[in-house]
Amino acid sequence: MSDDVPDEAAQLAKALREVFAGTKISVRRYATRTHRNAGAVSRYLNGTRVPPWEFITELFTEVSRETGNTLKPEVVEHLKAAHRKALKSSNRRLHEVQILQDRLEDADLQAQQAGIREKVLLEGLQTREHRISQLESRHVELTSRWERDARERDSLKAELQLASTSQTEELEQLKIEVNQLRQELEEARELSEQAERKCQRLEQQLSEAEERAQAGQEAREASSLEAAQQEAESARNVADKLRRQLHDLLAQQESARASVEETLQRKQEAREEKRAEIAQKFIGRPPRGERRLAHPSHDQERRGINP
């Protein structure tokens, strides 16, 4: 390197030679490969001429391709700073042009980055707006479904309450009727027992009268015997009538008991069908889409239904 080479140019040339050594080829061969003048390349490397920045970036590319490794950022920045200093000391106008090019390059890079960021943000915004639209539609659907289910649940609850009230009233009325029939049955049994006892007593009197008649009692006793016979016959008729009434009351009681049992069984089956219908409608309904977003009060209201 000549002694008349400025220090800035000498430092740049020294750094360029160190990078150029990575190509492992001669200056002439490098000039042929890159379609440059070998003399110009030689002057760039000995410091007698400051190379354009395009030459240096081209050298970076060739070294990276030859070695398979990219130059470290600090090496590139060092060469860039050395090139700007050498250019400033040798040619201020070219230095000013280079500085403007650097600024334009930085501005263009920032513009590209801003464009990329704008595109990314726009895509993110569109994605989120689409998601918001989906969530709003889903919210409206779930709200409508929840309100419909709530109306159906309230209707079923009112129906069950009405049915329960009606069944309770009917059951109470049936119990009252059963109690009345039991009382009438007890009264009928008491009357039947009284009539039976009266019959036995009259039969005894008749037997005694017959014995007295056979023993030669007077005609008055015979008349009394006939009256006793008539009274006994009347008592038998009353007893038979009471027995028929007792039989009818027993038949009515048995019919009432069967009717009550049948009614209770029918009401029990109706309640079981209602429970199954409610369970099928509010518990066994299969989930649709994101049904797990259903309202948290559903379980509480479902447990609140007690037919």
Side-chain angles (χ1 to χ4, degrees):
M1 187 178 297
S2 176
D3 294 336
D4 58 352
V5 175
D7 293 339
E8 293 80 359
Q11 292 177 1
L12 175 61
K14 181 179 180 181
L16 287 176
R17 284 199 299 270
E18 292 177 356
V19 174
F20 185 83
T23 62
K24 299 179 180 180
I25 58 177
S26 65
V27 172
R28 187 174 298 278
R29 186 175 176 183
Y30 178 82
T32 301
R33 180 181 295 179
T34 58
H35 306 286
R36 291 184 178 273
N37 183 272
V41 174
S42 179
R43 288 191 292 273
Y44 294 155
L45 296 178
N46 61 27
T48 57
R49 185 175 178 182
V50 177
W53 181 246
E54 291 77 7
F55 170 80
I56 299 177
T57 56
E58 186 180 66
L59 180 60
F60 293 160
T61 303
E62 293 296 328
V63 171
S64 298
R65 183 167 52 190
E66 185 69 27
T67 60
N69 298 320
T70 303
L71 291 178
K72 295 181 179 180
E74 53 267 23
V75 175
V76 176
E77 289 299 325
H78 174 69
L79 283 171
K80 186 175 182 180
H83 176 263
R84 301 304 184 266
K85 289 180 180 180
L87 190 62
K88 183 178 181 181
S89 63
S90 61
N91 192 328
R92 286 185 173 275
R93 291 183 179 180
L94 290 178
H95 177 261
E96 292 176 358
V97 172
Q98 185 64 56
I99 294 299
L100 291 175
Q101 289 179 349
D102 292 342
R103 291 178 180 176
L104 177 59
E105 182 180 354
D106 293 340
D108 181 63
L109 179 61
Q110 293 176 0
Q112 292 178 6
Q113 292 175 348
I116 294 173
R117 178 174 175 78
E118 180 183 359
K119 183 178 179 180
V120 172
L121 291 175
L122 180 59
E123 291 177 353
L125 178 61
Q126 292 175 347
T127 301
R128 284 159 178 77
E129 288 178 346
H130 179 65
R131 181 58 178 166
I132 289 173
S133 178
Q134 288 180 336
L135 291 177
E136 287 178 346
S137 299
R138 182 61 178 165
H139 176 71
V140 171
E141 178 184 356
L142 291 177
T143 301
S144 176
R145 186 182 304 168
W146 181 84
E147 292 176 352
R148 183 177 64 254
D149 291 345
R151 289 194 298 269
E152 293 177 356
R153 183 177 61 255
D154 292 340
S155 177
L156 286 174
K157 186 176 180 180
E159 183 179 351
L160 288 173
Q161 289 177 348
L162 180 61
S164 177
T165 302
S166 177
Q167 292 172 5
T168 302
E169 292 176 354
E170 185 177 357
L171 181 60
E172 292 297 328
Q173 182 63 31
L174 289 173
K175 288 181 179 179
I176 293 174
E177 293 177 0
V178 168
N179 291 332
Q180 291 177 351
L181 289 174
R182 286 176 178 174
Q183 291 177 359
E184 293 178 1
L185 178 61
E186 292 296 329
E187 294 175 356
R189 286 177 177 174
E190 182 66 25
L191 292 175
S192 178
E193 291 176 358
Q194 291 178 1
E196 187 66 28
R197 287 194 298 270
K198 186 175 181 180
C199 288
Q200 291 177 359
R201 185 173 62 255
L202 290 174
E203 286 177 356
Q204 181 65 28
Q205 292 176 359
L206 177 61
S207 178
E208 291 176 356
E210 288 176 348
E211 289 178 358
R212 284 195 302 271
Q214 291 177 0
Q217 294 292 332
E218 297 179 351
R220 184 177 57 81
E221 292 179 349
S223 177
S224 177
L225 175 61
E226 183 178 357
Q229 288 177 346
Q230 292 178 354
E231 187 176 357
E233 183 66 23
S234 177
R236 288 192 186 94
N237 293 333
V238 172
D240 291 339
K241 183 178 180 180
L242 291 174
R243 287 191 185 96
R244 287 194 297 272
Q245 291 179 353
L246 177 61
H247 182 270
D248 293 340
L249 289 173
L250 290 174
Q252 291 178 2
Q253 183 186 22
E254 184 65 25
S255 177
R257 182 182 296 107
S259 177
V260 170
E261 292 178 354
E262 182 180 358
T263 301
L264 294 177
Q265 179 66 24
R266 188 168 59 253
K267 300 303 181 182
Q268 180 66 23
E269 291 176 355
R271 285 195 296 270
E272 293 297 332
E273 291 178 358
K274 284 292 182 180
R275 292 192 185 98
E277 180 182 352
I278 294 172
Q280 179 66 23
K281 193 163 189 178
F282 295 102
I283 300 176
R285 178 179 298 173
R288 182 186 303 169
E290 300 178 355
R291 186 172 180 83
R292 292 300 170 193
L293 297 175
H295 198 275
S297 63
H298 284 183
D299 292 339
Q300 298 177 357
E301 294 178 355
R302 188 159 54 238
R303 290 195 295 270
I305 298 177
N306 187 16

